[in-house]
Amino acid sequence: MLHLTLRQLKVFESVARNLSFSRAAEDLFLTQPAVSMQIKQLEDNIGLPLFEQLGKKIYLTDAGRELYHYSRAISQQLADMELALDELKGLERGKLHISVVSTANYFAPHLLARFCQRYSGITVNLNVSNRETVLKQLSDNVIDLAIMGQPPDGLDIATDSFMENPLVVIAPPDHPLCKVRQIPVKRLEQETFLVREPGSGTRGAMERFFMAHHVSINRGMETDTSEAIKQAVQAGMGLGIMSLHTAELELETKRLKILDVQDFPIMRHWHVVHRKNKRLSSVAQAFRTFLLKEAPELMPSLTGVAK
């Protein structure tokens, strides 16, 4: 009879899912040697290798693939058990596992704080990642809810918009176009734009907008964070297009200005997303309802700024 522990299976499942000892260590808040030790003990108990290394990458062996199949099923059963027990406790206690794209991190903590003030006994696990990682977490069913801009295609998900997400053109305060009203979109071809990485929802919306207006822009720096774009725009490296929510502080302190460009803002929406077959806990369902009913009223400082 195999003598496996739930801890070993949890560590194995994370390593197998990430195909990385270091990323599993980050997920589980363990050191990499501790992760390696758990895997070694598991392999010793089973009597078969679970991973093989080719170059710098690791891969599952046949035994590893079999164990991964069963470990995911066991993990889901444990999650369902925990969910059932939490529901018996109602909203007095429970856990919320949520991931947000990096641009949503400028407002999501404020909404979570208000929600947690109402339900002080719950625990929140918040992950902030790029769009690709959040979609993978949805696909792997390791989170309850996600907050993002453009919902994904091809995944069996349920999505609801809960708040407007205007995309605006930002510039340093001393830029000549700051004094111009109703700037033609075509005029932007003379400027350099600092853009998000391929796959970003913001970049996708920007590219679709300019394609529809038959405008070809000059791309300068490419980066995977809105923070880097804001800093580069302030330094005079070019213009940026980003969610109004991400630039609120810099606009209030007048370190950035919104350009008055025709047909802007590009009006998008923030969405709360979960897998259709996901059994939402009472806490997750309550937070989803909270977003749909109360989020717009809790972000009043941005109302009308982009109009």
Side-chain angles (χ1 to χ4, degrees), residues 12-307:
F12 167 77
E13 191 275 336
S14 184
V15 176
R17 174 163 40 85
N18 290 290
L19 289 178
S20 168
F21 282 77
S22 59
R23 284 200 292 271
E26 292 174 2
D27 282 352
L28 301 171
F29 301 101
L30 297 172
T31 64
Q32 190 166 329
V35 170
S36 299
M37 181 182 68
Q38 292 290 330
I39 297 300
K40 178 66 166 58
Q41 291 175 350
L42 189 57
E43 289 178 328
D44 289 344
N45 286 335
I46 293 174
L48 291 169
L50 300 172
F51 299 95
E52 58 182 350
Q53 185 163 349
L54 298 176
K56 294 184 178 180
K57 294 185 178 180
I58 64 170
Y59 300 88
L60 286 167
T61 63
D62 289 342
R65 283 189 287 272
E66 284 292 326
L67 185 60
Y68 185 45
H69 168 74
Y70 288 106
S71 68
R72 291 192 68 180
I74 292 170
S75 294
Q76 188 58 56
Q77 288 289 315
L78 290 172
D80 289 345
M81 179 188 70
E82 186 175 16
L83 175 59
L85 294 174
D86 283 343
E87 287 181 344
L88 291 175
K89 302 169 187 173
L91 292 175
E92 295 180 5
R93 294 178 61 188
K95 294 180 181 179
L96 175 64
H97 296 271
I98 182 168
S99 284
V100 304
V101 294
S102 56
T103 48
N105 191 42
Y106 290 88
F107 67 86
H110 299 287
L111 296 175
L112 283 166
R114 294 294 291 269
F115 180 74
C116 290
Q117 288 171 5
R118 190 171 304 174
Y119 306 109
S120 58
I122 68 171
T123 302
V124 176
N125 185 312
L126 172 64
N127 179 273
V128 182
S129 302
N130 59 28
R131 176 182 169 84
E132 181 181 357
T133 300
V134 172
L135 291 181
K136 186 176 186 304
Q137 290 169 337
L138 277 171
S139 178
D140 290 341
N141 197 29
V142 296
I143 56 175
D144 298 319
L145 300 169
I147 293 177
M148 61 178 59
Q150 182 67 29
D153 296 321
L155 285 180
D156 190 20
I157 62 165
T159 176
D160 295 282
S161 65
F162 65 89
M163 191 167 66
E164 288 185 341
N165 176 23
L167 301 185
V168 296
V169 184
I170 59 168
D174 58 352
H175 195 283
L177 289 180
C178 290
K179 299 179 181 179
V180 181
R181 303 273 75 83
Q182 285 295 292
I183 303 164
V185 177
K186 197 73 174 174
R187 169 64 179 79
L188 297 181
E189 289 186 328
Q190 302 176 34
E191 303 295 325
T192 297
F193 277 83
L194 314 172
V195 299
R196 288 292 302 270
E197 77 284 3
S200 158
T202 300
R203 176 160 172 170
M206 178 194 76
E207 290 176 341
R208 289 190 296 270
F209 175 86
F210 285 131
M211 185 179 297
H213 286 75
H214 306 289
V215 169
S216 178
I217 62 168
N218 299 310
R219 292 185 177 90
M221 183 181 75
E222 182 179 291
T223 177
D224 62 355
T225 70
S226 297
E227 198 63 35
I229 290 180
K230 289 190 294 183
Q231 294 296 328
V233 171
Q234 291 179 61
M237 292 178 64
L239 305 180
I241 293 178
M242 62 175 51
S243 169
L244 182 61
H245 293 97
T246 67
E248 181 181 10
L249 178 61
E250 288 78 10
L251 293 171
E252 288 181 353
T253 56
K254 304 189 185 303
R255 286 180 284 171
L256 291 173
K257 295 285 284 260
I258 297 176
L259 295 186
D260 183 16
V261 181
Q262 292 176 359
D263 296 329
F264 271 85
I266 303 171
M267 192 55 69
R268 303 172 73 223
H269 289 83
W270 292 112
H271 294 80
V272 57
V273 178
H274 65 88
R275 291 181 59 127
K276 281 184 179 177
N277 59 352
K278 179 77 172 178
R279 180 187 174 191
L280 292 181
S281 66
S282 299
V283 173
Q285 187 59 58
F287 185 66
R288 176 181 171 275
T289 301
F290 169 81
L291 290 178
L292 296 178
K293 291 185 176 181
E294 302 185 42
E297 288 72 25
L298 294 175
M299 304 295 291
S301 60
L302 297 178
T303 303
V305 174
K307 306 300 183 184

